[in-house]
C-alpha cells in the first residue's frame, strides 16, 4: 500500500505544481484567449503528472537507467495519451451539450459532461503511463485506473469549486471581481486527478499481476518485480527485468525465469558462482513453486504468485519442459530461443536435517565432545576446498581460519564455526549481511551433516571429517 500511496502523492504534487505555474496566466474572463491558455495549463500539468508516474515506475525497478527511461517514457506517452483523452472527451461533451458547454450548462448538470471529459482524459493518461512498461496487462490496468481516477476528479471538480469559491474569495486568494471563478476547483482538481490516477494505476498494476519475485535479503530488501514476460532476466545489468546492484558476485546476466504456460522455470545462465535454490546450488533448471526461495550472489529472492495462478502451477507441474543448458546464452532484451526437447523435470526437493535454531548454551563442552566435521566450499573461487572443523575457526574477509578476501559480501570477521556433538556450531559475529543455514538467516545454530552454510556469497556444505 505504501508504494501505491507514494506514486499517488508524487503525482498529486506534480498536479499541484502544474496548476501553480499556469493559473496566473489564465485570462480573468472567458474570452477568445481562454481555450489556448486552458490547453497550456492542461498540457503542462499532464506532462508533470506523467513525468512523476514514470519516475516512480523507474525508481521501483531500481537503477539510474531505469529511472531515466521510466521518466522519459512516462512523460512522452502519458502526455500524448492525456492530451488525446482531453480532446476526445471534450469533443464528446461538446457534441452532446454544444461547443460552449463549459459556460452554458448550469450546475449541477455540468457535472455530467465534466465527468465524461475527465474520464477520457484519465483513461488515456493511464494507458500512456502503462504503455511505458510495454506490457498489455499494465496498459489495460493503467487505462482502467486512469478512467476511475479521471471520473472521480470530474465528479468533484464543480462541487469543490462551488463549495470553496466563497471561502477563497473571503481569504483574498484570488480576485473577487473576476468573472471567471474556477480557480478553487482547478486548485483541487489537478492534484486530485494526479492522486487518483497515480493511486489506481499503481493499485491495478499490482492487483492484475500473476507472478512476481520479492527481494527478502540484500540491498533494497522488500522490492518486488513482476514476472510477466516470456523471459525475465535477473542480473547486475540495468537492462535486466530484475536488476540486483551492489554485489560484484552477481553477473550482468545471472539467471533467467522462463514462463512456459502456467509454469515458471528458473535457469542459471552459466555463472561461476551459480544460483542457489532452497539453500543448495542449483544443478539443473527448476520449476519454481509458490513460496520458493533462490539465491543470486548475496541476494535472496522469493517467488510468489496469486492464488489462481498457484493452482495452475500445481496442476501443470508434470507438464513443464525446461530449456536445455546447451542453448546459446540469453542477453537482456533478446527474444526467446527455441526450446529443446528434453525430459520433464520436477523441482528439487531438499530434505535437510532438523536445524536446532536455539542458541547453544555451552559451546565449550560441545567442542570437546567431537571433532569429526569439515566444511567444503561449493561455490566461488575456493570451490572444492575442504576445511576441517576440529576447533573454533573464524570465517571472513580478514579471518585467519577461512579467508574470504575475494567475497565482497562477507564481513571482516563474519562467522565462527565450532565442532559440536551433532554437527558444526555456526555463530554469526554481527556481520552486515548475516549468516544463513539452509536458506534461513540465523544468529547461532547447529548445522548437521548435509546442511549448507552461506557466509556472504560463499556457501559451504557440512560433511563428516
Amino acid at each position: 500500500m505504501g508504494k501505491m500511496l507514494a506514486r499517488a502523492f508524487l503525482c498529486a504534487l506534480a498536479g499541484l505544481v502544474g496548476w501553480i505555474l499556469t493559473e496566473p496566466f489564465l485570462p480573468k474572463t472567458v474570452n477568445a484567449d481562454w481555450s489556448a491558455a486552458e490547453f497550456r495549463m492542461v498540457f503542462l500539468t499532464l506532462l508533470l503528472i506523467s513525468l512523476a508516474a514514470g519516475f516512480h515506475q523507474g525508481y521501483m525497478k531500481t537503477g539510474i537507467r531505469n529511472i531515466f527511461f521510466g521518466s522519459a517514457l512516462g512523460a512522452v506517452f502519458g502526455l500524448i495519451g492525456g492530451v488525446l483523452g482531453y480532446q476526445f472527451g471534450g469533443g464528446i461533451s461538446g457534441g452532446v451539450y454544444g461547443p460552449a458547454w463549459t459556460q452554458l450548462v448550469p450546475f449541477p448538470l455540468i457535472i455530467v459532461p465534466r465527468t465524461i471529459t475527465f474520464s477520457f482524459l484519465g483513461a488515456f493518461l493511464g494507458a500512456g503511463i502503462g504503455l511505458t512498461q510495454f506490457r498489455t496487462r499494465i496498459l489495460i490496468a493503467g487505462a482502467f485506473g486512469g478512467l476511475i481516477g479521471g471520473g472521480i476528479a470530474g465528479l468533484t471538480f464543480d462541487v469543490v469549486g462551488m463549495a470553496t469559491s466563497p471561502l477563497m474569495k473571503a481569504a483574498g486568494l484570488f480576485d473577487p471581481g473576476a468573472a471567471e471563478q474556477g480557480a478553487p476547483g482547478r486548485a483541487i482538481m489537478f492534484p486530485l486527478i494526479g492522486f487518483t490516477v497515480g493511486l489506481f494505476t499503481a493499485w491495478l498494476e499490482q492487483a492484475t499481476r500473476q507472478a512476481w519475485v520479492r527481494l527478502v535479503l540484500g540491498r533494497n530488501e522488500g522490492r518486488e518485480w513482476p514476472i510477466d514476460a516470456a523471459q525475465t532476466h535477473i542480473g547486475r545489468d540495468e537492462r535486466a527485468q530484475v536488476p540486483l546492484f551492489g554485489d560484484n558476485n552477481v553477473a550482468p546476466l545471472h539467471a533467467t525465469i522462463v514462463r512456459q504456460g502456467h509454469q515458471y522455470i528458473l535457469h542459471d545462465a552459466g555463472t561461476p558462482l551459480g544460483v542457489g535454490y532452497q539453500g543448495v546450488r542449483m544443478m539443473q533448471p527448476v520449476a519454481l513453486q509458490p513460496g520458493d526461495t533462490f539465491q543470486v550472489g548475496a541476494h535472496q529472492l522469493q517467488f510468489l504468485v496469486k492464488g489462481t495462478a498457484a493452482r495452475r502451477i500445481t496442476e501443470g507441474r508434470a507438464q513443464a519442459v525446461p530449456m536445455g543448458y546447451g542453448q546459446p546464452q540469453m542477453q537482456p532484451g533478446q527474444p526467446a530461443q527455441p526450446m529443446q526437447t528434453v525430459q520433464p523435470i520436477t523441482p528439487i526437493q531438499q530434505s535437510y536435517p532438523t536445524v536446532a535454531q536455539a542458541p547453544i548454551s555451552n559451546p565449550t563442552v560441545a567442542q570437546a565432545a567431537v571433532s569429526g566435521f569439515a566444511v567444503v566450499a561449493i561455490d566461488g573461487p575456493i570451490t572444492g576446498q575442504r576445511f576441517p572443523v576440529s576447533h573454533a575457526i573464524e570465517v571472513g574477509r580478514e579471518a585467519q581460519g577461512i579467508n574470504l578476501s575475494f567475497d565482497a559480501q562477507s564481513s571482516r570477521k563474519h562467522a565462527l564455526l565450532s565442532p559440536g556433538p551433532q554437527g558444526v556450531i555456526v555463530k554469526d559475529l554481527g556481520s552486515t549481511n548475516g549468516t544463513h543455514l539452509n536458506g534461513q538467516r540465523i544468529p547461532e545454530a547447529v548445522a548437521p551433516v548435509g546442511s549448507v552454510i552461506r557466509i556472504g556469497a560463499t556457501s559451504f556444505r557440512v560433511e563428516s571429517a
Side-chain angles (χ1 to χ4, degrees), residues 222-233:
R223 192 64 54 89
E224 296 177 350
W225 296 270
I227 308 298
D228 52 10
Q231 295 183 7
T232 300
H233 300 294

PDB file of all heavy atoms in Angstrom, residues 222-233:
ATOM      1  N   GLY A 222      12.673  -6.007   0.228  1.00  0.00           N
ATOM      2  CA  GLY A 222      11.261  -5.701   0.095  1.00  0.00           C
ATOM      3  C   GLY A 222      10.851  -5.273  -1.297  1.00  0.00           C
ATOM      4  O   GLY A 222       9.656  -5.230  -1.604  1.00  0.00           O
ATOM      5  N   ARG A 223      11.817  -4.965  -2.172  1.00  0.00           N
ATOM      6  CA  ARG A 223      11.492  -4.572  -3.537  1.00  0.00           C
ATOM      7  C   ARG A 223      10.901  -5.767  -4.284  1.00  0.00           C
ATOM      8  O   ARG A 223      11.307  -6.911  -4.081  1.00  0.00           O
ATOM      9  CB  ARG A 223      12.751  -4.057  -4.240  1.00  0.00           C
ATOM     10  CG  ARG A 223      12.536  -3.354  -5.562  1.00  0.00           C
ATOM     11  CD  ARG A 223      11.732  -2.084  -5.441  1.00  0.00           C
ATOM     12  NE  ARG A 223      12.242  -1.141  -4.488  1.00  0.00           N
ATOM     13  CZ  ARG A 223      13.140  -0.201  -4.755  1.00  0.00           C
ATOM     14  NH1 ARG A 223      13.665  -0.112  -5.950  1.00  0.00           N
ATOM     15  NH2 ARG A 223      13.508   0.655  -3.818  1.00  0.00           N
ATOM     16  N   GLU A 224       9.960  -5.513  -5.173  1.00  0.00           N
ATOM     17  CA  GLU A 224       9.280  -6.577  -5.918  1.00  0.00           C
ATOM     18  C   GLU A 224       9.322  -6.264  -7.407  1.00  0.00           C
ATOM     19  O   GLU A 224       9.268  -5.104  -7.813  1.00  0.00           O
ATOM     20  CB  GLU A 224       7.827  -6.727  -5.463  1.00  0.00           C
ATOM     21  CG  GLU A 224       7.685  -7.176  -4.018  1.00  0.00           C
ATOM     22  CD  GLU A 224       6.236  -7.252  -3.561  1.00  0.00           C
ATOM     23  OE1 GLU A 224       5.345  -6.773  -4.302  1.00  0.00           O
ATOM     24  OE2 GLU A 224       5.990  -7.787  -2.471  1.00  0.00           O
ATOM     25  N   TRP A 225       9.413  -7.333  -8.214  1.00  0.00           N
ATOM     26  CA  TRP A 225       9.410  -7.200  -9.660  1.00  0.00           C
ATOM     27  C   TRP A 225       8.423  -8.200 -10.249  1.00  0.00           C
ATOM     28  O   TRP A 225       8.442  -9.387  -9.885  1.00  0.00           O
ATOM     29  CB  TRP A 225      10.792  -7.471 -10.242  1.00  0.00           C
ATOM     30  CG  TRP A 225      11.846  -6.498  -9.825  1.00  0.00           C
ATOM     31  CD1 TRP A 225      12.200  -5.339 -10.445  1.00  0.00           C
ATOM     32  CD2 TRP A 225      12.728  -6.607  -8.690  1.00  0.00           C
ATOM     33  NE1 TRP A 225      13.231  -4.712  -9.783  1.00  0.00           N
ATOM     34  CE2 TRP A 225      13.579  -5.474  -8.691  1.00  0.00           C
ATOM     35  CE3 TRP A 225      12.886  -7.550  -7.676  1.00  0.00           C
ATOM     36  CZ2 TRP A 225      14.544  -5.268  -7.731  1.00  0.00           C
ATOM     37  CZ3 TRP A 225      13.844  -7.338  -6.708  1.00  0.00           C
ATOM     38  CH2 TRP A 225      14.667  -6.212  -6.746  1.00  0.00           C
ATOM     39  N   PRO A 226       7.548  -7.783 -11.176  1.00  0.00           N
ATOM     40  CA  PRO A 226       6.599  -8.722 -11.779  1.00  0.00           C
ATOM     41  C   PRO A 226       7.305  -9.679 -12.729  1.00  0.00           C
ATOM     42  O   PRO A 226       8.300  -9.326 -13.377  1.00  0.00           O
ATOM     43  CB  PRO A 226       5.629  -7.804 -12.535  1.00  0.00           C
ATOM     44  CG  PRO A 226       6.426  -6.570 -12.823  1.00  0.00           C
ATOM     45  CD  PRO A 226       7.373  -6.398 -11.671  1.00  0.00           C
ATOM     46  N   ILE A 227       6.786 -10.891 -12.826  1.00  0.00           N
ATOM     47  CA  ILE A 227       7.288 -11.882 -13.775  1.00  0.00           C
ATOM     48  C   ILE A 227       6.177 -12.100 -14.794  1.00  0.00           C
ATOM     49  O   ILE A 227       5.348 -13.001 -14.652  1.00  0.00           O
ATOM     50  CB  ILE A 227       7.648 -13.216 -13.066  1.00  0.00           C
ATOM     51  CG1 ILE A 227       8.577 -12.963 -11.877  1.00  0.00           C
ATOM     52  CG2 ILE A 227       8.291 -14.195 -14.048  1.00  0.00           C
ATOM     53  CD1 ILE A 227       9.903 -12.361 -12.243  1.00  0.00           C
ATOM     54  N   ASP A 228       6.119 -11.246 -15.797  1.00  0.00           N
ATOM     55  CA  ASP A 228       5.026 -11.333 -16.759  1.00  0.00           C
ATOM     56  C   ASP A 228       5.508 -11.378 -18.198  1.00  0.00           C
ATOM     57  O   ASP A 228       4.702 -11.276 -19.123  1.00  0.00           O
ATOM     58  CB  ASP A 228       4.045 -10.174 -16.570  1.00  0.00           C
ATOM     59  CG  ASP A 228       4.731  -8.820 -16.560  1.00  0.00           C
ATOM     60  OD1 ASP A 228       5.939  -8.765 -16.891  1.00  0.00           O
ATOM     61  OD2 ASP A 228       4.080  -7.818 -16.245  1.00  0.00           O
ATOM     62  N   ALA A 229       6.813 -11.529 -18.408  1.00  0.00           N
ATOM     63  CA  ALA A 229       7.349 -11.660 -19.754  1.00  0.00           C
ATOM     64  C   ALA A 229       7.671 -13.130 -20.033  1.00  0.00           C
ATOM     65  O   ALA A 229       7.740 -13.947 -19.116  1.00  0.00           O
ATOM     66  CB  ALA A 229       8.610 -10.812 -19.910  1.00  0.00           C
ATOM     67  N   ALA A 230       7.874 -13.459 -21.311  1.00  0.00           N
ATOM     68  CA  ALA A 230       8.247 -14.833 -21.653  1.00  0.00           C
ATOM     69  C   ALA A 230       9.578 -15.195 -21.006  1.00  0.00           C
ATOM     70  O   ALA A 230       9.789 -16.335 -20.582  1.00  0.00           O
ATOM     71  CB  ALA A 230       8.327 -14.992 -23.170  1.00  0.00           C
ATOM     72  N   GLN A 231      10.486 -14.232 -20.919  1.00  0.00           N
ATOM     73  CA  GLN A 231      11.770 -14.417 -20.243  1.00  0.00           C
ATOM     74  C   GLN A 231      12.006 -13.224 -19.332  1.00  0.00           C
ATOM     75  O   GLN A 231      11.916 -12.077 -19.774  1.00  0.00           O
ATOM     76  CB  GLN A 231      12.919 -14.534 -21.248  1.00  0.00           C
ATOM     77  CG  GLN A 231      12.859 -15.763 -22.132  1.00  0.00           C
ATOM     78  CD  GLN A 231      14.062 -15.850 -23.048  1.00  0.00           C
ATOM     79  OE1 GLN A 231      14.996 -15.054 -22.930  1.00  0.00           O
ATOM     80  NE2 GLN A 231      14.059 -16.786 -23.966  1.00  0.00           N
ATOM     81  N   THR A 232      12.294 -13.487 -18.095  1.00  0.00           N
ATOM     82  CA  THR A 232      12.607 -12.439 -17.124  1.00  0.00           C
ATOM     83  C   THR A 232      14.050 -12.616 -16.693  1.00  0.00           C
ATOM     84  O   THR A 232      14.402 -13.618 -16.067  1.00  0.00           O
ATOM     85  CB  THR A 232      11.675 -12.514 -15.904  1.00  0.00           C
ATOM     86  OG1 THR A 232      10.318 -12.358 -16.337  1.00  0.00           O
ATOM     87  CG2 THR A 232      11.996 -11.417 -14.903  1.00  0.00           C
ATOM     88  N   HIS A 233      14.894 -11.655 -17.040  1.00  0.00           N
ATOM     89  CA  HIS A 233      16.319 -11.767 -16.760  1.00  0.00           C
ATOM     90  C   HIS A 233      16.652 -11.156 -15.398  1.00  0.00           C
ATOM     91  O   HIS A 233      16.117 -10.112 -15.028  1.00  0.00           O
ATOM     92  CB  HIS A 233      17.130 -11.069 -17.853  1.00  0.00           C
ATOM     93  CG  HIS A 233      16.910 -11.633 -19.225  1.00  0.00           C
ATOM     94  ND1 HIS A 233      17.294 -12.898 -19.563  1.00  0.00           N
ATOM     95  CD2 HIS A 233      16.319 -11.106 -20.324  1.00  0.00           C
ATOM     96  CE1 HIS A 233      16.976 -13.141 -20.821  1.00  0.00           C
ATOM     97  NE2 HIS A 233      16.368 -12.059 -21.297  1.00  0.00           N
TER      98      HIS A 233
END
